[in-house]
Amino acid sequence: GQNIDQPTEMTATEGAIVQINCTYQTSGFNGLFWYQQHAGEAPTFLSYNVLDGLEEKGRFSSFLSRSKGYSYLLLKELQMKDSASYLCAVRFSGGYNKLIFGAGTRLAVHP
Amino acid sequence: EADIYQTPRYLVIGTGKKITLECSQTMGHDKMYWYQQDPGMELHLIHYSYGVNSTEKGDLSSESTVSRIRTEHFPLTLESARPSHTSQYLCASSNHDGGANEQFFGPGTRLTVL
């Protein structure tokens, strides 16, 4: 199967740290992406993991464990503008770079 | 910033009309994609192309058709629109030179069929 599971909603406080988890069940795994999507807008690329471990990019980090079919996106020093949906997407081999998207996690950041 | 464009941004039409949603990119990407997304739901791939004159249907069945006559242009056509086609349509493109090859998304077309 190619199910991508992530929590539907999360809330956090400005300045805090939040972790958004993603689990996937897919054969031929060939990379995992995180995208940010503000309401009514297009998704924008945040991070990419293909090997196990942590990728850090400013306030955002993404982790991958291929053996567990698990990834998380870590957002530090949360700002109000981080309120958005965060989409986990998996690419599989031989698929012409096709992605399977999860339903997204809606993050609400409160003052 | 990604150079991928979609027109129109919003479209309200009556049932039975033929419509074409435009998508163009200036990055020279060989791969292009069309996704359909309902509010609060995941993106579903409906068409993709890996080069000129090559198109494939995606994972979600769609009554729309696409063409890829030029590298930069990937229009989507609905011959006879119905209310069930009401949705947001997102176009994306990517390269093939190794690495992440992340997909860049256009701003989307929000279609309402009355």
Side-chain angles (χ1 to χ4, degrees):
Chain A
Q2 297 174 340
N3 294 330
I4 312 295
D5 293 315
Q6 47 182 136
T8 303
E9 292 182 347
M10 298 184 71
T11 59
T13 305
E14 194 174 15
I17 299 173
V18 71
Q19 177 175 312
I20 303 173
N21 297 324
C22 171
T23 58
Y24 59 93
Q25 301 168 358
T26 181
S27 59
F29 172 83
N30 192 28
L32 186 143
F33 297 79
W34 284 97
Y35 281 84
Q36 180 191 60
Q37 185 177 27
H38 285 98
E41 297 183 10
T44 55
F45 170 73
L46 288 178
S47 68
Y48 167 71
N49 295 73
V50 68
L51 299 176
D52 292 349
L54 188 69
E55 294 284 341
E56 297 187 78
K57 195 184 287 187
R59 293 190 299 115
F60 294 1
S61 304
S62 57
F63 172 83
L64 176 69
S65 170
R66 289 172 295 171
S67 62
K68 296 181 180 178
Y70 168 70
S71 173
Y72 67 73
L73 180 69
L74 193 72
L75 292 75
K76 304 175 186 176
E77 302 170 15
L78 280 172
Q79 302 174 9
M80 298 296 290
K81 68 178 182 179
D82 296 330
S83 294
S85 286
Y86 291 86
L87 314 180
C88 176
V90 175
R91 178 174 63 199
F92 56 92
S93 302
Y96 300 107
N97 203 29
K98 290 194 299 181
L99 297 179
I100 305 297
F101 280 86
T105 299
R106 284 190 299 278
L107 174 66
V109 180
H110 298 290
Chain B
E1 190 164 316
D3 296 320
I4 180 164
Y5 310 98
Q6 291 185 243
T7 57
R9 292 292 310 278
Y10 303 92
L11 180 62
V12 180
I13 60 167
T15 297
K17 299 293 186 183
K18 177 180 178 180
I19 60 169
T20 296
L21 308 184
E22 302 289 348
C23 175
S24 60
Q25 49 94 8
T26 57
M27 297 173 282
H29 286 172
D30 57 340
K31 296 181 178 64
M32 296 189 74
Y33 315 82
W34 275 104
Y35 292 89
Q36 186 174 339
Q37 185 183 31
D38 293 326
M41 303 296 288
E42 60 262 57
L43 282 76
H44 290 288
L45 182 69
I46 52 175
H47 297 282
Y48 65 99
S49 167
Y50 41 91
V52 171
N53 293 325
S54 78
T55 61
E56 299 285 344
K57 288 191 177 296
D59 304 316
L60 181 69
S61 176
S62 173
E63 294 166 344
S64 58
T65 59
V66 292
S67 63
R68 188 88 182 277
I69 299 173
R70 302 198 314 266
T71 297
E72 62 272 21
H73 198 211
F74 191 39
L76 179 145
T77 298
L78 276 166
E79 290 292 332
S80 180
R82 296 205 302 270
S84 61
H85 297 139
T86 294
S87 188
Q88 169 147 283
Y89 293 84
L90 290 160
C91 180
S93 71
S94 71
N95 216 335
H96 73 296
D97 55 358
N101 293 331
E102 67 268 28
Q103 295 184 14
F104 294 91
F105 284 83
T109 294
R110 187 166 296 280
L111 173 66
T112 302
V113 183
L114 303 176

